[in-house]
């Protein structure tokens, strides 16, 4: 195979080697596409909750912490990610400009939430912007838009698109990691969700929603939402409906709760984890467009487990199916951004004309999927956009 610039230019057993080309010996190794995580929060996963709430946190210090984690993510073999909410525009620009090292980022921008919704991050002493005129600190940091009613949802959506969002993230239901919105609640009225969908579609992209329950997901699907994030509490009929509508189900295997979690948060997290068994199995049964992500939050040390979390799919999928999900299939979800995609070209495959985001694995991950869980030991080389970020051992010059 030959990589020229940012693209794979030739594949085959008898390709003439260009003069001066760097030759990497791949004997005993497997070449695969770079991996993709379609549900990350680069800033929220780089800092703990106390750090995010600290009065001295600035956009600059948050970006610096996220940049450290972004570099580590790239060196684990994740060459592209979809950031599903938070201040990521500056980090993305820094990576693209060469200031930082990290994966390609498809940013959502600030999450959009109703008052009392899953993205209402206000502290108890922070009052409503609508009634008291002052944005919350989380809004100032670019973490969230608290938007109520069709007009505010339209404005929040368009603000994110103005700053370069590749897709829009809307909070359509309660969550397991929040203090104020119960897990079972449905959020946003149909006309509010429809407003976001219409504004996103006018820009050639789509809305993804945070939602767990059948009621929240069905409302989102009726409004034209294209990607359901989470969905672990869905019933079989609703997962079948996602498949019928041609929408995506972006699923995760969430980490266990902490002993320090408040009782209600602990109980909610356990419900979500228990629901995962059914959700993955039903999604496979009904051939739903299925994507994988991690969704780590507030525990930076957890990021090191990103590769290991892929292995949790072994109870439902073969190694070949798993590798397809975390490369080709996830790339198809990224492509749903259309003209709002920040990077032009094909990802998730090793073929002529595709972007050269590649991993050289020591061994055969289809025979032993566990190889991908230890990138430091088993990834001989990592390339993004035709550039090595983990250098291969002893390359030589051709011919």
């Amino acid at each position: 195979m030959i990589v020229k610039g940012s693209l794979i230019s030739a594949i085959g057993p008898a390709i003439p080697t260009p003069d001066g080309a760097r030759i990497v010996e791949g004997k005993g190794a497997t070449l695969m596409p770079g991996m993709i995580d379609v549900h990350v929060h680069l800033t929220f996963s780089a800092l703990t909750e106390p750090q995010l709430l600290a009065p001295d946190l600035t956009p600059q210090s948050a970006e610096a912490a996220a940049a450290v984690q972004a570099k580590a993510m790239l060196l684990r073999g994740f060459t592209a990610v979809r950031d599903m909410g938070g201040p990521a525009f500056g980090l993305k620009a820094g990576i693209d400009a060469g200031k930082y090292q990290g994966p390609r980022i498809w940013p959502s921008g600030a999450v959009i939430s109703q008052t009392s919704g899953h993205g209402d991050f206000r502290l108890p002493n922070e009052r409503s912007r609508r009634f008291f005129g002052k944005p919350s600190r989380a809004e100032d940091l670019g973490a969230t838009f608290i938007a109520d009613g069709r007009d505010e949802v339209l404005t929040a959506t368009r603000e994110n698109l103005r700053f370069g969002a590749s897709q829009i993230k809307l909070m359509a239901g309660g969550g397991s990691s929040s203090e104020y919105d119960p897990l079972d609640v449905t959020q946003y009225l149909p006309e509010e969700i429809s407003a976001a969908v219409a504004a996103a579609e006018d820009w050639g992209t789509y809305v993804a929603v945070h939602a767990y329950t059948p009621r929240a997901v069905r409302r989102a699907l009726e409004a034209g939402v294209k990607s359901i994030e989470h969905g672990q509490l869905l019933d079989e009929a609703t997962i079948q409906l996602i498949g019928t509508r041609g929408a995506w189900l972006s699923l995760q295997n969430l980490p266990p709760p902490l002993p320090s979690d408040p009782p209600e948060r602990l109980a909610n997290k356990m419900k979500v984890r228990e629901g995962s068994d059914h959700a993955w199995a039903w999604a496979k049964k009904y051939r739903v467009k299925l994507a994988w992500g991690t969704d780590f939050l507030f525990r930076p040390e957890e990021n090191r487990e990103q590769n290991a979390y892929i292995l949790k799919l072994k109870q439902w999928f073969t190694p070949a199916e798993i590798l397809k999900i975390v490369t080709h299939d996830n790339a198809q979800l990224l492509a749903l951004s259309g003209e709002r995609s920040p990077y032009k070209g094909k990802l998730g495959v090793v073929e002529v004309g595709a972007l050269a985001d590649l991993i050289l694995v020591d061994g055969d991950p289809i025979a032993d999927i566990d190889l991908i869980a230890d990138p430091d030991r088993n990834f001989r080389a990592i390339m993004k956009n035709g550039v090595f970020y983990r250098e291969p051992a002893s390359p030589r010059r051709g011919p």
Side-chain angles (χ1 to χ4, degrees):
M1 185 188 77
I2 295 177
V3 171
K4 186 175 182 180
S6 63
L7 301 176
I8 299 170
S9 64
I11 298 175
I15 306 169
T17 302
D19 289 342
R22 295 180 68 189
I23 299 174
V24 177
E25 177 58 58
K27 187 175 181 180
T30 302
L31 188 69
M32 63 174 278
M35 296 187 296
I36 301 168
D37 188 332
V38 295
H39 197 119
V40 303
H41 298 277
L42 284 159
T43 301
F44 299 155
S45 65
L47 298 162
T48 65
E49 283 188 275
Q51 288 171 328
L52 284 162
L53 295 172
D56 60 345
L57 180 71
T58 65
Q60 293 75 25
S61 61
E63 181 175 302
V68 171
Q69 295 296 336
K71 180 178 180 179
M73 193 175 291
L74 176 59
L75 294 178
R76 289 192 292 269
F78 290 91
T79 54
V81 298
R82 193 177 57 143
D83 189 286
M84 294 312 291
F89 293 127
L91 175 64
K92 177 191 175 299
I95 291 172
D96 292 346
K99 178 181 178 182
Y100 308 124
Q101 292 185 9
R104 303 173 189 270
I105 299 174
W106 271 251
S108 303
V111 300
I112 302 174
S113 169
Q114 67 175 48
T115 296
S116 77
H118 190 57
D120 187 342
F121 302 138
R122 286 178 296 161
L123 298 174
N125 64 314
E126 291 184 288
R127 299 193 292 181
S128 168
R129 168 183 51 76
R130 171 171 285 188
F131 296 122
F132 301 98
K134 184 178 180 181
S136 65
R137 187 160 176 273
E139 290 173 287
D140 277 337
L141 288 170
T144 188
F145 282 120
I146 301 173
D148 294 296
R150 181 179 180 277
D151 290 348
E152 286 196 351
V153 170
L154 281 174
T155 301
T157 299
R158 290 166 176 163
E159 281 287 302
N160 277 330
L161 292 168
R162 174 177 177 258
F163 283 111
S166 49
Q167 64 283 322
I168 298 299
K169 171 72 174 298
L170 209 69
M171 300 302 201
S176 62
S177 61
S178 46
E179 296 291 341
Y180 301 110
D181 61 319
L183 184 60
D184 63 288
V185 302
T186 303
Q187 297 173 13
Y188 275 129
L189 299 175
E191 58 266 29
E192 292 172 307
I193 302 174
S194 296
V197 168
E201 288 183 348
D202 282 348
W203 279 57
T205 187
Y206 68 97
V207 170
V209 296
H210 164 106
Y212 287 105
T213 65
R215 188 171 190 264
V217 167
R218 286 175 177 271
R219 177 176 290 183
L221 292 172
E222 287 296 327
V225 164
K226 297 290 180 63
S227 181
I228 305 299
E229 308 298 314
H230 312 311
Q232 286 93 337
L233 301 184
L234 295 179
D235 54 31
E236 186 172 0
T238 304
I239 288 184
Q240 185 177 10
L241 180 63
I242 294 172
T244 301
R245 292 292 179 91
W248 284 82
L249 180 59
S250 172
L251 264 173
Q252 309 81 34
N253 293 101
L254 298 182
L258 295 171
S260 58
D261 281 336
E264 186 174 354
R265 184 183 293 190
L266 191 150
N268 284 340
K269 287 184 177 180
M270 290 307 297
K271 286 179 188 176
V272 171
R273 282 170 58 83
E274 291 163 6
S276 293
D277 289 342
H278 296 302
W280 285 107
W282 287 333
K284 183 176 182 180
K285 176 181 177 181
Y286 292 109
R287 300 176 182 267
V288 174
K289 293 179 182 178
L290 190 58
W292 171 88
T294 46
D295 193 29
F296 294 154
L297 293 167
F298 315 136
R299 290 151 70 173
E301 71 282 358
E302 207 165 55
N303 294 327
R304 294 190 294 270
E305 301 298 312
Q306 189 175 20
N307 298 58
Y309 266 67
I310 297 173
L311 303 186
K312 294 178 182 291
L313 299 178
K314 289 196 291 185
Q315 58 188 300
W316 303 288
F317 301 99
T318 67
E321 289 172 332
I322 292 170
L323 292 170
K324 180 173 177 285
I325 289 170
V326 302
T327 57
H328 173 272
D329 295 356
N330 277 0
Q332 298 306 299
L333 178 52
L334 296 183
L336 200 62
S337 293
E339 289 301 313
R340 301 287 76 74
S341 176
Y343 311 97
K344 306 309 177 187
K346 196 169 185 179
L347 289 174
V349 293
V350 178
E351 64 180 44
V352 173
L355 288 165
D357 287 13
L358 302 165
I359 304 170
L360 190 63
V361 183
D362 195 4
D364 180 1
I366 291 180
D368 182 8
I369 190 68
D370 290 7
L371 290 172
I372 66 173
D374 191 349
D376 288 341
R377 180 187 296 270
N378 299 320
F379 290 178
R380 291 188 193 177
I382 297 170
M383 173 180 281
K384 186 192 86 171
N385 208 41
V387 176
F388 282 115
Y389 288 87
R390 173 167 294 161
E391 289 282 347
S394 305
R396 57 188 175 86
R397 291 289 179 181

